[in-house]
Amino acid sequence: MAEYSVADAKNRLPKLIDKALGGEEVVITRRGKPVVELRPASGRPAPPIGSDGWLFERTRARPSVGLTSVQLLDLLNEADQDEHLFGRQLPGSDGRRGTGKRRG
């Protein structure tokens, strides 16, 4: 195992990378203590094939609602603000809910 200080590694980085790719263990130290190991990057595993195919099939099989997600959100926001739908008053201009009258 070869150890190099940060300053040495900075000056020799291309050579250290080649050593690591060649299978040699390369350790970079700071104040004599190991802080980084250089080694070849492992390849990313391939995503599993077919694991989400059922979801795509289910999505395609559903009937379309004929609206985009933006249109659906607009409808939801309009419904949320509709005082008749939920039986409540919208906040007044002073930011309070209701008419300001107390029930006795």
Side-chain angles (χ1 to χ4, degrees):
M1 172 173 63
E3 291 187 2
Y4 299 89
S5 70
V6 172
D8 287 340
K10 178 182 162 186
N11 295 328
R12 301 179 187 180
L13 188 58
K15 290 180 183 178
L16 296 180
I17 291 172
D18 289 339
K19 285 184 178 189
L21 289 173
E24 186 177 335
E25 289 186 36
V26 178
V27 176
I28 299 174
T29 62
R30 181 179 283 160
R31 296 184 202 107
K33 294 183 181 181
V35 292
V36 175
E37 294 178 8
L38 289 180
R39 59 178 170 258
S42 59
R44 291 186 179 177
I49 296 173
S51 64
D52 54 358
W54 66 271
L55 180 60
F56 293 120
E57 290 302 320
R58 182 176 175 195
T59 303
R60 278 188 231 123
R62 284 186 160 182
S64 174
V65 293
L67 298 172
T68 66
S69 58
V70 173
Q71 292 168 326
L72 284 171
L73 288 173
D74 286 343
L75 287 173
L76 289 172
N77 287 331
E78 288 173 12
D80 192 35
Q81 294 174 0
D82 186 1
E83 64 184 288
H84 299 292
L85 182 64
F86 293 101
R88 64 178 179 182
Q89 299 268 334
L90 292 175
S93 60
D94 60 356
R96 295 183 305 165
R97 291 186 180 263
T99 61
K101 297 179 184 174
R102 288 189 160 186
R103 292 184 181 176

